[in-house]
Amino acid sequence: MVSMLTCIRHSLLSRKVKPGSGKLAEEFRLLLFFSLVFGVSLIFFGLFRLFLLFRYLKLAADIPAGEIGRAFLVGLRFDMVIVSYILILLFLPASFLPLSKSHKIRAAFLMILGAVFGFFFLLSTIDLEFFGAYNARLNLLAVQYLETMGPALRTIWQEYPVIPYLILWAVVSALFIGIVFWIGQVHLGRSSCRPIWQRALLLLSGLGLLVFGARGTVSSSPINWGYAYFSQHNFPNQLALNGIFTLGRSIYQEMIEDSRSVAKKLSVTTPDEAVRTVQLLVAHPAETFLSADYPLVRRRDFPSASTTATSAPERPNVVIIIMESFTAEFIGVLGGAYQASPQFDRLAQEGILFDRFYANGCRTNRGLTAILCSYPGLIGLSMMQKVESQQPMLTLASVLKPLGYHNCFIYGGDLNFDNMEGFFRRHGFDRFVGQEDFPKEAFQTEWGISDEEVFHRANQEFSRLPQPFVGVVLTVSNHEPYRIPTPYAYYPQQHVQSRFLNSFKYSDYALGRFFEEARKQPYFDHTLFVIVADHGKNLDYRTDLSLNQFHIPCLFYGPKILGDSSRRRIHTIASQIDILPTLIGILRQPLVHHCWGRDLLSLPEDEGYAMLTANDEKLGLVQDGYYLVVRLGGPPSLYLVEDEPDKDRAAEFPEVVSRMERKVKIMAQAGWYIFSQRRCWNPELVAVHGGKENGIDTFSKLLSR
């Protein structure tokens, strides 16, 4: 690529330019040059849209050709926006540079222009596989992976056809640069002397047209990604978008827009009313709210005469096992195919299994805060990465510390990933075991130590910890590029999803090995285990927020602790934020907390609900057999969970859409408000209200308002 640009540059410098003829051409040649570049750029971005169509042609099989054609027309506007922004930055200096008088300056300018577009063509090339991995166009998630560039690049190299894509990018970029140099040779190489007023007129005219193009619309508000959602099918909507547009928009919203802008998008009522609504959703009849300044902080009380249903110790150990990408789609006991989870299935026969359980987000960092903090996902960056997360917050470790619980967090990967150790050390965890604490010879992938090694170390740590203790184990093997120890290749390469299935079953095997070892240890009979996934895996591209990337297993296991209440299956719709309050209910200790979930074992008669969050301004709600997808800035979609889950029913059930959209937005509004205003938690409330002092509101008082 560099040598090709050098050749073009020398060719341009060596050619003599003929003086132009025609006064009109001389005065407006710069505008004509940028107009031609504008048109050529649109053709090339349209070419990448065509690449995307052919890459995922099977997704368009049942979609009318008219909708695919319309996607290209709608996408043209998004391409115009991107090209306009790029050319604005280049048009300003070009208006004052002596491009017609200096061959070197002209050549340098054209090379810079070509390099800039080459960079954006590279992003468009990356977008071709990003869509396949995340069922969305480029967004903030791509930027977040820059924090772990080494493992990410190694995974990309092993998982994707990097060389063919680089060749494609080089050919497209070279062709574009060659065309641009030819246009520049023809239209920028004519000498003329323009008065200042003509330069100003050209600058204002060109800028005006480009600013108009950058807005993408004649309305008062500029174009948003919601404009692309014209079809009930997901693929034409995604095809219409421009990955650079969605990436830039998500970065802008996260890095530049302030909390007031986010609050405005989520706002459906006053903050106080939103908080009160959430209080009614999450409050247990035996709970008392303790502070108006920290509106979700409450104390769960238990009758003094109550006893646990078993003879187990009053304060059992708690171990949370968080399995990487352990999607419900392949869990046998949940109807999954391929017999990929025999060990989990065996454990499920002796525990409490939740079969309609969902992750609150689609990344590990969101799963961790939902499971260990009982806090829903926020729009944009994960809570763990936000500066506001330095405020006091509760985690499982800090909730149980007043009861004398020790703790240990074990992860086979880099503990600095997504600010993991920093966040949880700030909020109550004391001991951490990470990748560097394992032997050098341990089998590991780009993302960390194999699950067998991690579980073996976890068993060692738990055997040494004073009781009672809280243990967290986070696995990593079932992550791209899905490399596992060679003896554990269960499915042949020609098998559908063979690499993922092999790593999935290996993780299940390692889980079974852990319990084999743990049963031999003294701590086992005194421990309640929770096995849950951090998130699912996207296996369905028919909707832009596929439910299967959130559907996960959740198992409470501890025969000695749960006693007669174990060995059952619960159909309540629930999510990761419900784990912590359910543990509080099982422990039956008067604890102060700020959970956003509910105790699943003592719910009133309802089917439950699950709130889902994606990091590209999408929210989801599962309730009453419906699945609602809310797009901030775009139209909502409604699906039936059990019947044609890819068919949008929003037009058929407008009342359901309205009711569910209001609910999920209120929850998101209250979550953002409490977090951004630093009103999550005050440690002094434990000292003041840890006993039986009266709070400000009981459940019955809330109902009577």
Side-chain angles (χ1 to χ4, degrees), residues 384-666:
M384 286 166 48
Q385 299 166 290
K386 291 181 180 289
V387 176
E388 292 88 348
S389 66
Q390 298 177 72
Q391 66 179 295
M393 296 186 68
L394 283 176
T395 63
L396 174 62
S398 58
V399 166
L400 297 185
K401 265 189 178 179
L403 299 180
Y405 277 75
H406 303 270
N407 61 73
C408 183
F409 189 108
I410 303 167
Y411 175 46
D414 181 4
L415 285 167
N416 292 318
F417 180 67
D418 283 342
N419 192 37
M420 191 182 300
E421 181 179 356
F423 178 86
F424 286 110
R425 189 177 292 280
R426 167 68 179 89
H427 299 303
F429 280 87
D430 302 309
R431 174 160 175 73
F432 292 83
V433 176
Q435 187 172 7
E436 295 182 354
D437 300 308
F438 288 84
K440 298 286 187 182
E441 62 272 14
F443 182 90
Q444 57 184 298
T445 70
E446 289 72 14
W447 294 99
I449 307 297
S450 69
D451 288 357
E452 270 186 285
E453 296 280 355
V454 170
F455 277 127
H456 180 70
R457 179 61 179 268
N459 189 52
Q460 292 178 335
E461 293 289 333
F462 298 156
S463 298
R464 292 194 292 258
L465 277 174
Q467 299 188 45
F469 65 80
V470 169
V472 175
V473 183
L474 176 60
T475 72
V476 74
S477 287
N478 195 32
H479 190 292
E480 293 174 328
Y482 307 124
R483 288 204 300 118
I484 58 175
T486 50
Y488 303 110
Y490 305 98
Y491 301 90
Q493 290 186 356
Q494 62 268 27
H495 197 289
V496 177
Q497 298 279 356
S498 62
R499 296 178 66 189
F500 177 71
L501 279 169
N502 278 325
S503 62
F504 189 98
K505 191 165 185 175
Y506 167 71
S507 293
D508 177 77
Y509 163 81
L511 178 68
R513 289 279 296 166
F514 167 75
F515 277 97
E516 285 181 19
E517 294 183 16
R519 287 190 181 94
K520 303 173 185 177
Q521 305 301 322
Y523 76 85
F524 180 80
D525 286 342
H526 309 298
T527 303
L528 173 62
F529 298 88
V530 179
I531 307 170
V532 66
D534 56 351
H535 52 77
K537 180 174 174 60
N538 185 26
L539 300 168
D540 184 356
Y541 300 96
R542 292 175 294 180
T543 63
D544 57 342
L545 201 63
S546 300
L547 194 55
N548 63 14
Q549 66 181 311
F550 297 95
H551 190 201
I552 59 174
C554 180
L555 175 68
F556 280 65
Y557 178 84
K560 298 290 186 180
I561 305 300
L562 299 173
D564 295 337
S565 66
S566 63
R567 299 193 180 191
R568 56 182 167 138
R569 189 162 175 159
I570 294 178
H571 306 300
T572 303
I573 298 172
S575 66
Q576 292 165 325
I577 59 175
D578 297 312
I579 290 176
L580 182 49
T582 302
L583 286 171
I584 292 174
I586 293 174
L587 295 177
R588 302 187 66 80
Q589 299 291 330
L591 292 167
V592 178
H593 65 92
H594 62 44
C595 294
W596 280 73
R598 306 187 296 173
D599 179 358
L600 298 175
L601 301 181
S602 61
L603 283 178
E605 293 296 326
D606 66 43
E607 291 192 5
Y609 62 87
M611 174 188 173
L612 321 175
T613 307
N615 52 354
D616 52 354
E617 295 205 348
K618 296 186 184 75
L619 302 170
L621 181 65
V622 184
Q623 185 176 11
D624 299 330
Y626 298 103
Y627 171 43
L628 177 74
V629 176
V630 175
R631 306 174 182 90
L632 304 183
S637 295
L638 184 72
Y639 307 96
L640 299 180
V641 175
E642 303 294 340
D643 182 23
E644 294 186 286
D646 60 328
K647 182 178 180 180
D648 190 349
R649 307 293 187 99
E652 299 178 41
F653 304 100
E655 300 85 0
V656 175
V657 171
S658 178
R659 169 172 52 82
M660 293 182 67
E661 182 175 19
R662 177 177 174 81
K663 179 175 182 175
V664 72
K665 279 190 172 182
I666 280 180

Side-chain angles (χ1 to χ4, degrees), residues 48 51 118-130 138 162 164-170 172-173:
F48 276 102
F51 292 158
F119 170 73
F120 287 110
F121 292 158
L122 178 61
L123 292 180
S124 299
T125 306
I126 294 171
D127 189 35
L128 296 176
E129 288 297 329
F130 185 90
L138 280 176
V162 176
Y165 275 123
L166 287 177
I167 294 174
L168 173 68
W169 166 70
V172 171
S173 298

Side-chain angles (χ1 to χ4, degrees), residues 133-163:
Y134 297 102
N135 198 20
R137 305 302 293 269
L138 280 176
N139 56 51
L140 193 64
L141 181 59
V143 179
Q144 293 173 6
Y145 274 114
L146 293 178
E147 298 178 4
T148 54
M149 182 174 291
L153 289 178
R154 288 193 293 271
T155 298
I156 291 170
W157 180 259
Q158 295 185 26
E159 189 71 13
Y160 301 101
V162 176
I163 298 300

